[in-house]
């Protein structure tokens, strides 16, 4: 066992206080840059080996959708352009009907888009950026065993059986949805915690290039909505698409042979079979079982002036609003803004961070749950498509008064809970438009369109 002090930077000069970032994933690596830029001595501790040298990167691999909040955080540490240059713009949802026809639903105004980025590559870039700061040290193969909220003392175990102790002025927990750091929060009174597993799992498949080019139009997020389940596909720089099938676990379990896989896809995703390939589909479907998705809420995010949770450790959300990473990155911005306001006084900063951030990330957790229903079911509704056009028209005519919820969440830094409140307010304001629209819909229904009972009133 060994311990070390971290009160000097690599040049031997005294530094500000020591910050220990537990977790070297996306939010942890970005946080290291934020704290190092402020002059703190930063120690990052990651359980895994250095993914930049690993032959196989362990962990989740669902493609990420980088949007405004995340880009702003990257901009704060000067690497937005580098990351954006390695992403693929997605201007709209491309809806694949059962018959194989495709239709677009733009994400926002012309020029607004989200970016498909590779999780592993982004993580590598962030770790490399963190290492450029002389006051940052990356420690891999360090698994948190124990820590003290009173003293800031931590004990880490290594794969060779050794342990290491380190003391920090601030511990920042960025160690994911199943955070080891958060376990101590659970032992304390007045700490609220809940976790919800949704009954759907996910499975990843791949659409390879055709003759060296994308097999589908690349600048879209492709969606096959099928009411109780759906498949999406995001483009990659190597001209592949990563497909993710979201489906109830009981439906995954019903399919036990390769022929049953093909029968299932022939029934629900026929246009995807030649894109993925029959043999690949039969093999890849059984490579891994459906993976679980969890939504976690807790509060407060801090203990005293010694520890704070960020990213999935504080607020794991299901992936259906594309805001998990963006919300985690925005945590870094919000914490920095509060640090500026309160002169980096941790005893004041940490409780203020909890007060400000909790309602926002609870709101995006709820919106992510809601958006799953929208993505797998409502986008098939003619009423939904009509309402989207109405919203966009009203936003064009009254840009400061009517702003679509998706626009507020994805293309601004409007606080999440304020976006939700404004969404409800706008929905009431648009009641007159809704009544006119409903009348038009009912008239169309009588003329052979969809029945009113099939229509979802939703944004």
């Amino acid at each position: 066992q060994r311990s070390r002090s971290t009160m000097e930077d690599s040049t031997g000069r005294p530094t500000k206080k020591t910050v220990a970032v537990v977790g070297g994933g996306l939010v942890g690596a970005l946080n290291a840059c934020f704290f190092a830029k402020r002059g703190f001595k930063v120690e990052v501790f990651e359980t895994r080996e250095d993914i930049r040298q690993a032959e196989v990167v362990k962990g989740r691999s669902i493609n990420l959708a980088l949007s405004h909040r995340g880009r702003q955080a990257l901009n704060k540490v000067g690497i937005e352009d580098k990351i954006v240059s390695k992403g693929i713009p997605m201007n709209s949802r491309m809806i694949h009907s059962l018959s194989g026809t495709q239709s677009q639903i733009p994400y926002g105004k012309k020029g607004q888009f989200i970016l498909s980025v590779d999780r592993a590559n982004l993580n590598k870039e962030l770790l490399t950026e963190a290492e450029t700061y002389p006051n940052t040290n990356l420690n891999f193969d360090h698994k948190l065993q124990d820590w003290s909220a009173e003293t800031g003392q931590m004990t880490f175990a290594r794969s060779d059986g050794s342990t290491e102790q380190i003391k920090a002025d601030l511990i920042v927990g960025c160690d994911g949805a199943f955070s080891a750091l958060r376990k101590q929060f659970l032992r304390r009174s007045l700490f609220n915690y809940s976790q919800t597993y949704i009954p759907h799992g996910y499975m990843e498949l791949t659409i390879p290039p055709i003759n060296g080019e994308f097999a589908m139009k690349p600048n879209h997020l492709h969606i096959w909505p099928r009411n109780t389940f759906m498949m999406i596909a995001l483009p990659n720089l190597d001209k592949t698409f990563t497909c993710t099938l979201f489906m109830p676990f009981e439906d995954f379990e019903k399919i036990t042979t390769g022929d049953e896989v093909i029968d299932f896809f022939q029934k629900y995703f026929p246009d995807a079979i030649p894109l993925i390939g029959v043999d690949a589909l039969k093999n890849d479907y059984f490579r891994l079982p459906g993976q679980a998705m969890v939504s976690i809420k807790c509060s407060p995010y801090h203990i005293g002036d010694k520890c704070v949770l960020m990213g999935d450790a504080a607020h794991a959300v299901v992936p259906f609003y594309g805001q998990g990473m963006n919300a985690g990155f925005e945590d870094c911005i919000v914490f920095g803004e509060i640090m500026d306001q309160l002169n980096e006084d941790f005893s004041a900063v940490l409780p203020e961070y909890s007060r400000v951030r909790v309602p926002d990330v609870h709101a995006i957790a709820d919106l992510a749950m809601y958006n799953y229903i929208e993505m797998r079911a409502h986008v098939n509704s003619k009423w939904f498509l009509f309402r989207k056009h109405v919203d966009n028209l009203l936003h064009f005519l009254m840009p400061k008064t009517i702003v679509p919820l998706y626009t507020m969440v994805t293309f601004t830094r409007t606080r999440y809970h304020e976006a939700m409140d404004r969404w409800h307010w706008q929905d009431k304001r648009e009641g007159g438009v809704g009544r006119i629209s409903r009348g038009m819909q009912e008239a169309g229904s009588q003329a052979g369109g969809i029945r009113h009972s099939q229509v979802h009133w939703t944004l």
Side-chain angles (χ1 to χ4, degrees), residues 6 29 37 61 67 94 103 106 111 129 133 141 154 208 221 311 353 368 370 389 423:
T6 57
K37 192 173 181 182
S61 56
S67 56
M94 181 69 81
S103 57
E129 183 65 23
Y133 294 91
D141 184 26
M154 294 168 287
L221 191 156
Y353 175 76
Y370 164 82
H389 289 305
W423 172 40

Side-chain angles (χ1 to χ4, degrees), residues 344-390:
E344 300 182 351
D345 177 2
F346 293 154
S347 65
V349 169
L350 270 60
E352 178 65 5
Y353 175 76
S354 285
R355 186 191 71 80
V356 168
R357 199 62 179 152
V358 166
D360 287 330
V361 289
H362 283 193
I364 194 56
D366 293 338
L367 285 172
M369 286 288 200
Y370 164 82
N371 210 46
Y372 181 44
I373 299 169
E374 177 176 298
M375 289 176 74
R376 64 183 168 86
H378 294 171
V379 292
N380 279 330
S381 163
K382 294 178 182 178
W383 171 247
F384 171 84
L385 297 174
F386 176 71
R387 182 61 191 268
K388 282 289 185 185
H389 289 305
V390 171

Side-chain angles (χ1 to χ4, degrees), residues 51-240:
I51 62 172
R52 295 169 297 178
Q53 276 125 39
E55 290 185 13
V56 178
V57 178
K58 298 177 182 178
R60 294 185 301 169
S61 56
I62 289 180
N63 284 56
L64 301 168
L66 178 66
S67 56
H68 180 75
R69 296 171 200 265
R71 290 181 61 166
Q72 287 294 297
L74 296 171
N75 180 264
K76 294 282 186 182
V77 294
I79 58 171
E80 180 188 8
D81 291 344
K82 179 190 291 187
I83 301 304
V84 168
S85 69
K86 295 183 179 180
I88 298 177
M90 297 183 293
N91 304 301
S92 66
R93 296 168 171 170
M94 181 69 81
I95 310 302
H96 293 244
S97 73
L98 197 55
S99 66
T101 60
Q102 299 179 24
S103 57
Q104 294 183 40
I105 304 178
Y107 279 119
K109 296 182 294 186
K110 186 175 181 180
Q112 288 182 323
F113 56 85
I114 58 178
L115 280 161
S116 174
V117 296
D118 179 88
R119 176 188 294 271
N121 285 338
L122 176 56
N123 203 162
K124 292 173 184 177
E125 292 280 3
L126 290 170
L127 289 170
T128 298
E129 183 65 23
E131 264 187 339
T132 65
Y133 294 91
N135 46 324
T136 295
N137 188 41
L138 305 183
N139 304 274
F140 298 99
D141 184 26
H142 278 66
K143 184 176 183 178
L144 182 67
Q145 277 192 325
D146 195 18
W147 66 280
S148 167
E150 285 67 43
T151 66
Q153 186 86 11
M154 294 168 287
T155 302
F156 293 92
R158 306 197 63 180
S159 57
D160 63 5
S162 65
T163 61
E164 184 171 357
Q165 291 189 334
I166 183 173
K167 189 174 183 181
D169 298 289
L170 177 66
I171 304 170
V172 185
C174 302
D175 52 340
F178 305 102
S179 168
L181 201 78
R182 195 181 58 226
K183 289 179 181 177
Q184 285 229 18
F185 282 67
L186 292 168
R187 300 190 187 115
R188 293 177 172 257
S189 62
L190 304 180
F191 178 69
N192 302 298
Y193 176 83
S194 69
Q195 70 176 39
T196 303
Y197 280 96
I198 64 173
H200 296 71
Y202 73 89
M203 175 180 290
E204 292 193 344
L205 304 164
T206 302
I207 293 178
I210 295 178
N211 299 323
E213 293 299 328
F214 284 106
M216 302 184 294
K217 294 180 179 179
N219 296 117
H220 309 277
L221 191 156
H222 292 260
I223 306 178
W224 290 257
R226 299 296 182 261
N227 198 31
T228 59
F229 52 88
M230 71 172 180
M231 187 167 70
I232 66 172
L234 277 73
N236 301 307
L237 283 178
D238 63 0
K239 305 296 179 69
T240 64

Side-chain angles (χ1 to χ4, degrees), residues 256-312:
T256 59
T257 69
D259 288 341
E260 287 175 349
V261 174
I262 300 304
D263 289 343
F264 172 77
F265 268 75
Q266 190 63 54
K267 184 176 181 179
Y268 294 109
F269 310 109
D271 63 327
I273 295 176
L275 298 174
I276 298 173
V278 172
D279 291 338
L281 198 47
K282 287 182 176 181
N283 292 328
D284 293 351
Y285 187 91
F286 299 103
R287 189 176 47 189
L288 288 172
Q291 303 295 297
M293 290 173 284
V294 66
S295 179
I296 291 174
K297 293 180 179 179
C298 65
S299 68
Y301 293 150
H302 74 286
I303 295 178
D305 64 350
K306 278 288 190 293
C307 183
V308 64
L309 301 175
M310 295 194 202
D312 283 358

